[in-house]
Amino acid sequence: MHLDDESANEILLVPAEEIHRRLSKYGVSREQTNDNSVVNPIDDRFGFCARGREFENAATNHRYTGQERQMLGAYESLEYLPSHSDVYKKWLKKNPPHNGWQQWLMMCLIGFAVGLIGFLLHQTIDLIADFKWKYAKDLLKQSIESGSSMAMVWVWVMCFSCVLVLISTGLVVFFRPQAASSGIPELMGFLNGTVVRHIFNIKTLIIKFLSCILCVSSGMPVGPEGPMIHIGSLVGAGLSQFKSDTMNFKLPCFERFRNFEDRRNFISAGAAAGVASAFGAPVGGLLFSMEEVSSFWNMKLSWQIFCCAMVSSFTTALFNSAFSGFQYQGAFGAFKSEEYILFKVKNGLSINILTFIPAAILGVIGGLTGALFTFLNLKIVKARRNLLARIKNKVTQHIIRLGEPIVIMVISATLSVFLPSLFSCNPFICIKEGEEISTNCWNSSVNLLHTDPDVVAYTCPYDASAEGLQLRGNYTWTNRTYNEMATLVFGTTENAIHQLFSRSTHKQLSYLPLLVVLLIYSLMACWAAGTSISSGILVPMLFIGGLYGRFIGVIMVAMFGVHTHPKSYWLWMDPGAFALVGAASFFGGVSRLTMSLAVIMIEMTNDVQFLLPIMAAIMVSKCVGDFFTHSYYLALMELKCIPYLDSEPVVNCNGKRVSLELHCAADIMSSPPVVVHVRESIIYLADLLLNTNHGGFPVVRKSANGEEVFFGFINRLQLAVMLKHPKLFTNIQNDNDGEISEEIQHPQLTLDKLEKPDLIEEMLLRYTHNNEFKDLYINLEPYVNQSAVSIPGKFSLERAYITFRTMGLRHMTVVDENNHVVGVITRKDLMGFNMEEKLSSKIGLAQSREDLIMLLDD
């Protein structure tokens, strides 16, 4: 029996035989749970570092428990291409193919909408965050002048931040749990062919937007870039359809795009536009969509998504050129590099071959720390899920969900206010003649070494007036001082990253502040990722990598000295350059991105000179990280039990890699199959929909010699729709008798869920219990997908996998040499763990047979 993916985000874990079968709106016969359900498999008996669980290299398949496999069965698959039936072909004749300009226009509309939302998102975040920290610094100044404690500063930062976090969490917990976290794993799963409930909904979009603004501006150790990618895909999914089930409207525009193929393409474009708007990286957005989230790609789609990402980046930059904090600044359309380039590096550095040694070292560190971050985060997510599942009271669950981010915020706010007081004040420095480092030096017109003027003074003496500067020859002197720790924590994370990436500031940050912030922030970011807030980890990844990269850079400067002469062979030995490479290495160690990450890093810093060291660090970090864990987003999909087919199958049996070319499709197919005939009994079809979990059925018809041969495929939602039209019923049973009745048009069959499933269930029960339907049949021929892929049982398993994933199939029918249906292959049949189990059994039987033959020969 072939079990296809069943559609629900979460399912209560009970024995399969106790599941109450009923028709849901997604067409499957399982009870769906509500959005706030907490599901935790209680049969997880694996050890803390068991291979194949959170600790698993890229060549190891995830090991699912029995209850996790039930959760896998809670998802339904989608076909990438529309059903190639007779009604579809007639619909095509009446609706000629749309001109190419319509797709290009829609891509531009999506790009503009995503760019505008990105502008609103970041402007609002900056406005709230700047207000918070500006008032905190005013309170700090007042406390210094009055000689009082910093209690008021702490109360302001903590209370203001906690209120924002409380609202942010409340929106997610009470209105849309699917808006939590970044949404990237769910997006990847959907574009791979799995339906994830409520991730493309206008309510999700609104909650995601508001929650992200509030939690990021509060100062939580999270970033807005991950949610921006999800928001972009939401815009692509909604705008391209010109309809909303939530708001109950459907506009007569772009109706041709209301199919799974175009919708998925526009969602991929929206994700790319989200990256382009968030990072100012249109090319990086295109590559990110291709490399990370999309499973189906072609050259034409590349051009269109490139256009969409370009429009998105252009729109965000256009509005940023004229507005700051929503106040018009003039110069509309003047793209200032400081605003267009997110973390602009002002001074480029020449590199040499020795640069690749520390780049490789940073790559190793990035791979190790990235794998550790992924491992710890998965353990925290599992512990959180286990705790919530043990609590049966919904009110208590909500209190815990609301309270956890607040606890994180209280700790973060307290540390950001009081931790800098443990560190002393540092004077500004620069270099005088003879490479002598001088204190109280603001800058030099002769040498590049300086202290960035945007460092945070905290409680240190700081004269902001022009009188605090004195010009003597080539040097400007000052009595200003600053606090290294406050520069890293007493402000926004983006400002801290700017300080880490700053060039010619070799002595600005020392070992201890970097190390302390690295340890604390890494733990807090690892804890915050996965809580009930709409947030991402892309900015935290840059910050964490920048911290240890800068730390390594400071060590290099201590060992080999400061080199600032423009012609120096060692000019590349700058802590800011190491911070950039470190940020790329940690980003790569967590996400395992390569091409897109390298381009994004260059586009958002404008540091082309360091492209090759960045690429080297990314490649090393990916290789090292792959040795210990799966990529972060893939691991989250496995933890959430979202079915996913990777680009290349990995199957191991008895500790050895198995070549799928040596095995055939019949080895892993589900059999015996449940088939339907071209003309099928109404009672039989109703019983199938009520009492099976199959997502579709092979259709057979009698050949000239009377044998039942494969004719095509039909899915259960289409059957449910057809059974709603009694005019299609006939008392003719023979496949070749009678006229073909046609009542349903193709658009009525292109649905992804049923409306009013309870009424349809009542209808099906009436069909099965009412004798008047006993001799009624329905002609399925006009609605059968006659281009459904079928393969012989001896077809290569490797090629079957490639065909299934490349074409975005939902089912693949297996036939024998006489075209008789012998089995069906679904998404879960091709998942690595399932192929390993079935092939291990086959290999074990073959080995036992060989041993028996050898024994008999002896």
Side-chain angles (χ1 to χ4, degrees):
M1 304 291 284
H2 64 280
L3 295 180
D4 187 39
D5 317 286
E6 293 142 66
S7 185
N9 194 15
E10 294 168 330
I11 179 169
L12 293 176
L13 297 179
V14 295
E17 62 272 11
E18 297 179 13
I19 294 174
H20 170 60
R21 300 189 185 279
R22 64 183 298 276
L23 199 69
S24 74
K25 66 180 180 180
Y26 291 90
V28 300
S29 303
R30 278 200 179 174
E31 188 80 43
Q32 293 190 38
T33 61
N34 59 51
D35 294 339
N36 268 315
S37 297
V38 178
V39 182
N40 183 61
I42 60 176
D43 59 343
D44 185 354
R45 299 292 185 267
F46 293 99
F48 188 79
C49 292
R51 302 287 293 183
R53 296 296 285 175
E54 292 75 33
F55 182 60
E56 52 192 351
N57 61 41
T60 303
N61 283 304
H62 189 76
R63 297 160 64 189
Y64 293 93
T65 68
Q67 292 181 343
E68 286 176 337
R69 297 186 188 195
Q70 288 189 39
M71 295 171 67
L72 279 171
Y75 293 89
E76 182 187 4
S77 292
L78 288 174
E79 199 94 21
Y80 182 61
L81 297 174
S83 175
H84 192 249
S85 60
D86 290 338
V87 293
Y88 171 68
K89 288 182 280 188
K90 291 181 180 180
W91 178 81
L92 281 179
K93 292 178 181 178
K94 296 179 182 179
N95 299 270
H98 51 70
N99 296 322
W101 67 267
Q102 292 179 321
Q103 286 184 324
W104 288 94
L105 175 61
M106 181 55 65
M107 289 291 182
C108 291
L109 289 175
I110 292 172
F112 176 79
V114 175
L116 181 59
I117 291 175
F119 162 76
L120 296 174
L121 181 81
H122 288 89
Q123 287 279 315
T124 308
I125 290 173
D126 292 343
L127 186 66
I128 298 174
D130 289 345
F131 170 74
K132 166 191 164 181
W133 289 111
K134 183 178 183 301
Y135 192 69
K137 291 175 182 178
D138 290 342
L139 290 175
L140 182 61
K141 183 178 179 181
Q142 294 174 15
S143 67
I144 295 174
E145 292 174 350
S146 62
S148 59
S149 67
M150 294 187 294
M152 286 303 299
V153 181
W154 175 73
V155 170
W156 162 253
V157 173
M158 185 191 67
C159 291
F160 185 81
S161 300
C162 287
V163 169
L164 295 179
V165 171
L166 180 62
I167 299 173
S168 173
T169 310
L171 290 171
V172 171
V173 171
F174 295 110
F175 295 101
R176 183 59 82 197
Q178 281 79 9
S181 299
S182 67
I184 294 178
E186 291 79 4
L187 172 62
M188 292 172 59
F190 181 87
L191 292 178
N192 191 254
T194 300
V195 178
V196 184
R197 190 169 70 172
H198 290 164
I199 63 166
F200 297 119
N201 183 284
I202 191 169
K203 190 175 178 181
T204 307
L205 172 62
I206 295 172
I207 298 302
K208 194 103 184 176
F209 180 79
L210 296 176
S211 177
C212 179
I213 288 175
L214 294 170
C215 71
V216 174
S217 59
S218 71
M220 283 280 286
V222 295
E225 283 71 18
M228 191 63 219
I229 296 171
H230 187 194
I231 288 172
S233 66
L234 277 160
V235 173
L239 188 60
S240 63
Q241 305 301 294
F242 270 82
K243 69 182 183 72
S244 172
D245 295 334
T246 304
M247 300 180 69
N248 195 27
F249 74 86
K250 182 183 294 186
L251 300 178
C253 302
F254 297 102
E255 295 182 7
R256 189 61 184 263
F257 295 147
R258 290 171 187 168
N259 60 77
F260 298 133
E261 179 186 5
D262 284 325
R263 189 166 183 246
R264 280 201 225 179
N265 291 342
F266 289 128
I267 289 172
S268 297
V275 175
S277 176
F279 291 108
V283 180
L286 167 67
L287 294 176
F288 177 85
S289 181
M290 180 183 70
E291 180 180 3
E292 183 71 352
V293 300
S294 300
S295 297
F296 315 107
W297 203 263
N298 57 60
M299 186 56 66
K300 181 182 178 182
L301 185 62
S302 300
W303 301 337
Q304 293 174 338
I305 293 182
F306 179 78
C307 175
C308 181
M310 177 192 69
V311 173
S312 175
S313 184
F314 173 82
T315 302
T316 303
L318 181 65
F319 285 102
N320 281 335
S321 69
F323 293 93
S324 178
F326 294 110
Q327 293 184 353
Y328 185 66
Q329 304 295 315
F332 184 81
F335 293 172
K336 309 177 189 72
S337 59
E338 294 78 10
E339 309 221 355
Y340 179 66
I341 301 175
L342 188 61
F343 300 114
K344 179 176 172 58
V345 173
K346 298 179 181 179
N347 301 320
L349 300 174
S350 300
I351 65 170
N352 58 52
I353 193 171
L354 298 179
T355 313
F356 293 93
I357 297 176
I361 295 174
L362 287 171
V364 173
I365 297 174
L368 293 173
T369 54
L372 179 62
F373 181 93
T374 300
F375 178 80
L376 292 178
N377 179 257
L378 294 176
K379 290 297 184 183
I380 292 173
V381 171
K382 288 186 66 175
R384 179 187 299 116
R385 190 173 66 179
N386 184 42
L387 173 63
L388 291 172
R390 292 176 182 273
I391 300 172
K392 304 304 180 184
N393 188 286
K394 290 294 182 183
V395 175
T396 306
Q397 281 188 3
H398 289 164
I399 291 174
I400 293 176
R401 284 176 166 179
L402 290 170
E404 184 183 13
I406 293 177
V407 171
I408 298 173
M409 190 68 255
V410 169
I411 296 173
S412 299
T414 302
L415 292 175
S416 66
V417 172
F418 292 112
L419 192 59
S421 63
L422 302 178
F423 292 79
S424 60
C425 298
N426 290 18
F428 280 59
I429 62 171
C430 65
I431 289 185
K432 294 182 67 176
E433 290 84 349
E435 299 294 319
E436 178 186 351
I437 297 177
S438 177
T439 59
N440 298 325
C441 182
W442 176 260
N443 62 33
S444 167
S445 60
V446 178
N447 207 295
L448 295 175
L449 182 67
H450 67 289
T451 300
D452 195 290
D454 292 329
V455 290
V456 179
Y458 190 59
T459 58
C460 301
Y462 188 91
D463 185 359
S465 64
E467 289 76 12
L469 303 176
Q470 296 182 8
L471 180 61
R472 303 176 194 169
N474 294 323
Y475 305 96
T476 303
W477 301 89
T478 182
N479 59 358
R480 299 177 184 178
T481 55
Y482 69 100
N483 187 295
E484 294 184 28
M485 179 60 71
T487 300
L488 295 174
V489 301
F490 198 73
T492 64
T493 306
E494 286 77 5
N495 289 338
I497 294 175
H498 277 289
Q499 297 299 323
L500 292 174
F501 289 178
S502 62
R503 298 292 170 83
S504 301
T505 56
H506 300 61
K507 299 292 184 177
Q508 180 170 293
L509 299 169
S510 55
Y511 301 109
L512 189 57
L514 293 170
L515 184 60
V516 171
V517 176
L518 174 63
L519 295 176
I520 294 175
Y521 190 89
S522 298
L523 292 175
M524 299 302 291
C526 190
W527 183 9
T531 53
S532 297
I533 54 176
S534 176
S535 61
I537 62 168
L538 302 187
V539 166
M541 284 193 290
L542 295 176
F543 187 50
I544 293 170
L547 285 168
Y548 70 70
R550 184 101 189 182
F551 185 85
I552 297 297
V554 173
I555 293 177
M556 296 287 289
V557 169
M559 293 174 60
F560 302 104
V562 177
H563 301 275
T564 59
H565 193 278
K567 295 184 179 181
S568 173
Y569 187 77
W570 308 98
L571 187 63
W572 55 269
M573 202 175 293
D574 189 305
F578 285 104
L580 175 60
V581 177
S585 69
F586 187 73
F587 202 145
V590 174
S591 67
R592 314 296 157 79
L593 294 172
T594 53
M595 301 178 296
S596 58
L597 176 55
V599 174
I600 289 172
M601 294 300 298
I602 297 305
E603 287 187 294
M604 73 178 181
T605 60
N606 198 36
D607 192 4
V608 181
Q609 289 93 333
F610 262 75
L611 173 60
L612 291 178
I614 287 174
M615 293 174 65
I618 290 172
M619 289 301 299
V620 173
S621 68
K622 173 177 169 54
C623 294
V624 174
D626 281 344
F627 187 77
F628 295 99
T629 67
H630 289 175
S631 72
Y632 178 71
Y633 297 119
L634 177 58
L636 282 179
M637 279 194 290
E638 293 166 345
L639 184 64
K640 297 178 180 182
C641 299
I642 300 175
Y644 182 82
L645 297 182
D646 211 343
S647 57
E648 182 180 352
V650 176
V651 177
N652 300 290
C653 294
N654 301 323
K656 297 181 180 180
R657 182 75 175 266
V658 176
S659 173
L660 298 186
E661 287 280 57
L662 299 177
H663 299 273
C664 60
D667 294 334
I668 58 98
M669 69 180 183
S670 297
S671 62
V674 177
V675 301
V676 296
H677 299 84
V678 172
R679 288 185 184 271
E680 190 58 85
S681 164
I682 299 299
I683 293 179
Y684 178 72
L685 293 178
D687 184 69
L688 283 183
L689 296 183
L690 287 171
N691 297 304
T692 69
N693 291 322
H694 308 330
F697 307 93
V699 180
V700 297
R701 73 180 311 166
K702 290 184 178 180
S703 62
N705 58 6
E707 294 184 347
E708 293 183 344
V709 295
F710 178 68
F711 178 68
F713 212 94
I714 194 165
N715 69 52
R716 66 183 298 122
L717 286 180
Q718 292 172 334
L719 289 176
V721 172
M722 284 185 277
L723 291 176
K724 289 171 59 180
H725 295 75
K727 291 183 179 181
L728 298 179
F729 301 170
T730 177
N731 57 4
I732 301 174
Q733 179 179 4
N734 194 314
D735 291 354
N736 300 315
D737 291 342
E739 296 292 329
I740 295 177
S741 60
E742 181 180 329
E743 179 74 21
I744 307 176
Q745 300 299 314
H746 173 70
Q748 295 176 265
L749 298 170
T750 57
L751 73 170
D752 54 1
K753 59 184 177 183
L754 296 174
E755 295 181 3
K756 300 179 180 180
D758 292 337
L759 296 179
I760 298 178
E761 182 180 6
E762 293 177 7
M763 175 193 71
L764 296 177
L765 289 171
R766 187 172 71 253
Y767 290 165
T768 57
H769 293 89
N770 196 326
N771 288 331
E772 68 176 288
F773 298 99
K774 182 178 180 182
D775 297 321
L776 292 181
Y777 297 84
I778 188 171
N779 180 18
L780 303 178
E781 183 173 352
Y783 314 103
V784 173
N785 180 9
Q786 298 177 34
S787 293
V789 176
S790 64
I791 57 175
K794 295 183 179 180
F795 195 81
S796 161
L797 183 53
E798 174 89 20
R799 303 178 194 205
Y801 185 98
I802 295 172
T803 302
F804 192 100
R805 189 184 186 278
T806 303
M807 295 190 65
L809 300 179
R810 181 178 180 180
H811 303 90
M812 181 183 287
T813 306
V814 182
V815 297
D816 61 15
E817 60 274 9
N818 296 317
N819 205 28
H820 300 153
V821 178
V822 295
V824 173
I825 295 176
T826 66
R827 173 174 298 270
K828 285 191 284 295
D829 291 320
L830 290 173
M831 292 186 70
F833 77 92
N834 189 66
M835 289 197 291
E836 284 183 347
E837 291 176 358
K838 291 186 176 181
L839 294 182
S840 294
S841 300
K842 176 194 173 186
I843 293 173
L845 290 174
Q847 186 64 44
S848 299
R849 190 179 299 110
E850 290 179 5
D851 293 342
L852 180 61
I853 293 174
M854 292 178 62
L855 181 62
L856 293 175
D857 290 342
D858 292 340

